[in-house]
C-alpha cells in the first residue's frame, strides 16, 4: 500500500522511478518516501513509480493456423513461459512486452512449421518446440525478456487428414510391433541355437574325455596283466632253476601232485614201468 508521501515496492517486483517523466532509477523491494512540500507554493518534481512484475508468467497462444512445408494447414497451440529480467528495457523499449512476446512466438512458430514437413512435425514435435525457443529467445532478450519454454501443446489437422494420419500411425505402430516380435523371435532362435551348440560341444568334450579315460583304463589293465604274467614267468624260472639244482625237490613236488590227484575219484593215473624179458630190455 502507499499514500501520497510514500510508495512500497513488493517482493517479486521492481519499481521504475520517473522524475518529471524521465527515468531515474530502479527501486528494489521496500518502502520509499516521495518528495513533500515544505512550505506553500513550493514547486516539487513529479515523481512516478511504475511497478514491474519479475515473476514467471504463462502465455497461451491458441489456434494458430499455419502451412507446413508440404502445404498442409495445421492449427497449433503453444504455451510460453517467460519472465522479465531487465525491467528498464521491458518498459522503455516496447509498448507492451506481453504482446510483443505473443507476436514473436507466433512468428517463430510460423517460420519453424513452414520449414518442416507434416511427417517431421508428427515424428519430432520436440524439435518444433526447440526451434521456436531458439528463434525467439535472442529477440526477446533485446527488450529484457527471458523465454523459459515454448512448448507445442496441441496440433490440430483437418478432419479427413486426421483420419488418414490416425490410420498411418496405427499402421506404423503395427509395423513396429511386428518388428519387435520378429526381433524377439530371432533373438530366441539365436539363443536356442547357441544353447544347442553349447550342449553338443559339452557332450563331445564328455565323449572325448570318456574315451580317453577308457583308453587309460585299458592301458592300465593291460599293464597290470603284463606285469602279472612277467612275475609268473619269473617265478616259474626260479622254480625250474631250483628243481635243476635240487632234483629231490622235483621228486617231492611230483609226490605232492600225485597225492592231490589221488583224492579225486575221477582222476586216472597211468604209471609206466620198464619191461625186462630174458635179461633184454
Amino acid at each position: 500500500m502507499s499514500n501520497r508521501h510514500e510508495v512500497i515496492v513488493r517482493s517479486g517486483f521492481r519499481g521504475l522511478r520517473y522524475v518529471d517523466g524521465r527515468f531515474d532509477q530502479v527501486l528494489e523491494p521496500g518502502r520509499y518516501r516521495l518528495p513533500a512540500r515544505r512550505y506553500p507554493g513550493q514547486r516539487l518534481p513529479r515523481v512516478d513509480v511504475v511497478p514491474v512484475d519479475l515473476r514467471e508468467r504463462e502465455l497461451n497462444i491458441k489456434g494458430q493456423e499455419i502451412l507446413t512445408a508440404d502445404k498442409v494447414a495445421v492449427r497449433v497451440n503453444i504455451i510460453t513461459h517467460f519472465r522479465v529480467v531487465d525491467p528498464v528495457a521491458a518498459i522503455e523499449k516496447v509498448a507492451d512486452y506481453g504482446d510483443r512476446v505473443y507476436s514473436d512466438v507466433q512468428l517463430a512458430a510460423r517460420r519453424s512449421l513452414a520449414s518442416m514437413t507434416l511427417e517431421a512435425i508428427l515424428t519430432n514435435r520436440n524439435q518444433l518446440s526447440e526451434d521456436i525457443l531458439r528463434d525467439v529467445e535472442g529477440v526477446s532478450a533485446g527488450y529484457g525478456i527471458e523465454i523459459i519454454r515454448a512448448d507445442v501443446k496441441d496440433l490440430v489437422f483437418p478432419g479427413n487428414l486426421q483420419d488418414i494420419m490416425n490410420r498411418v500411425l496405427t499402421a506404423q505402430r503395427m509395423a513396429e510391433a511386428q518388428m519387435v516380435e520378429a526381433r524377439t523371435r530371432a533373438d530366441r532362435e539365436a539363443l536356442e541355437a547357441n544353447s544347442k551348440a553349447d550342449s553338443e560341444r559339452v557332450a563331445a568334450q564328455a565323449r572325448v574325455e570318456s574315451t580317453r579315460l577308457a583308453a587309460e583304463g585299458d592301458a592300465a589293465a593291460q599293464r597290470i596283466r603284463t606285469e602279472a604274467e612277467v612275475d609268473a614267468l619269473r617265478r616259474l624260472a626260479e622254480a625250474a632253476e631250483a628243481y635243476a639244482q635240487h632234483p629231490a625237490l622235483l621228486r617231492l613236488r611230483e609226490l605232492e601232485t600225485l597225492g592231490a590227484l589221488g583224492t579225486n575219484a575221477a582222476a586216472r593215473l597211468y604209471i609206466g614201468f620198464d619191461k625186462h624179458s630174458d635179461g633184454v630190455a
Side-chain angles (χ1 to χ4, degrees):
M1 299 180 59
S2 63
N3 55 38
R4 58 186 301 180
H5 299 299
E6 65 180 23
V7 65
I8 296 176
V9 179
R10 291 186 300 162
S11 179
F13 288 73
R14 295 295 183 270
L16 301 188
R17 186 174 187 268
Y18 289 86
V19 178
D20 290 335
R22 295 176 180 273
F23 172 72
D24 180 54
Q25 63 176 327
V26 177
L27 303 180
E28 297 292 326
R31 183 191 298 270
Y32 298 90
R33 294 186 61 83
L34 299 178
R37 287 191 180 92
R38 296 184 179 181
Y39 52 85
Q42 180 185 9
R43 183 181 179 279
L44 296 177
R46 172 70 181 271
V47 177
D48 298 311
V49 176
V50 178
V52 181
D53 192 346
L54 303 188
R55 295 172 298 178
E56 183 177 323
R57 298 170 62 180
E58 181 179 286
L59 181 64
N60 289 326
I61 302 175
K62 299 180 179 180
Q64 300 299 307
E65 186 169 313
I66 304 171
L67 287 177
T68 64
D70 46 359
K71 306 305 178 184
V72 177
V74 297
R75 288 184 176 273
V76 59
N77 296 331
I78 305 170
I79 297 180
T80 303
H81 290 258
F82 70 95
R83 62 169 169 247
V84 177
V85 292
D86 185 347
V88 177
I91 298 301
E92 294 282 323
K93 292 190 175 183
V94 292
D96 187 316
Y97 58 81
D99 289 345
R100 180 62 183 274
V101 169
Y102 188 99
S103 62
D104 284 344
V105 172
Q106 183 186 51
L107 292 173
R110 289 184 180 278
R111 285 191 293 269
S112 183
L113 279 169
S115 66
M116 299 176 67
T117 64
L118 181 60
E119 182 180 0
I121 295 170
L122 291 173
T123 56
N124 197 358
R125 184 182 297 189
N126 289 337
Q127 182 63 45
L128 177 59
S129 298
E130 292 170 2
D131 288 346
I132 294 172
L133 179 60
R134 184 168 53 252
D135 192 355
V136 77
E137 63 184 354
V139 177
S140 64
Y143 52 89
I145 301 298
E146 178 189 8
I147 305 296
I148 301 170
R149 297 204 317 268
D151 295 331
V152 176
K153 180 181 179 182
D154 297 308
L155 287 170
V156 181
F157 308 99
N160 59 340
L161 180 62
Q162 184 71 52
D163 293 339
I164 294 173
M165 294 310 301
N166 286 338
R167 289 196 294 270
V168 170
L169 291 175
T170 300
Q172 288 178 345
R173 293 191 186 99
M174 291 181 62
E176 291 173 356
Q178 291 173 354
M179 184 179 299
V180 171
E181 182 181 358
R183 187 180 298 114
T184 301
R185 184 168 58 252
D187 291 342
R188 184 175 62 250
E189 291 174 353
L191 182 61
E192 291 175 353
N194 291 336
S195 178
K196 182 178 180 181
D198 291 340
S199 299
E200 291 177 351
R201 184 170 59 253
V202 171
Q205 291 176 349
R207 288 194 297 270
V208 170
E209 183 67 14
S210 177
T211 302
R212 184 184 63 81
L213 292 176
E216 291 180 353
D218 292 343
Q222 182 63 37
R223 184 172 60 254
I224 292 172
R225 287 194 298 271
T226 302
E227 291 176 354
E229 291 174 356
V230 170
D231 184 65
L233 291 174
R234 181 179 58 78
R235 292 179 180 275
L236 288 175
E238 291 177 352
E241 184 179 357
Y243 294 150
Q245 293 179 0
H246 305 282
L249 290 176
L250 179 60
R251 184 60 180 168
L252 179 61
R253 181 62 177 167
E254 290 176 352
L255 293 175
E256 288 177 351
T257 302
L258 289 174
L261 291 174
T263 61
N264 187 352
R268 296 291 185 268
L269 299 178
Y270 297 93
I271 301 174
F273 296 95
D274 291 338
K275 293 181 179 182
H276 301 274
S277 58
D278 297 331
V280 180

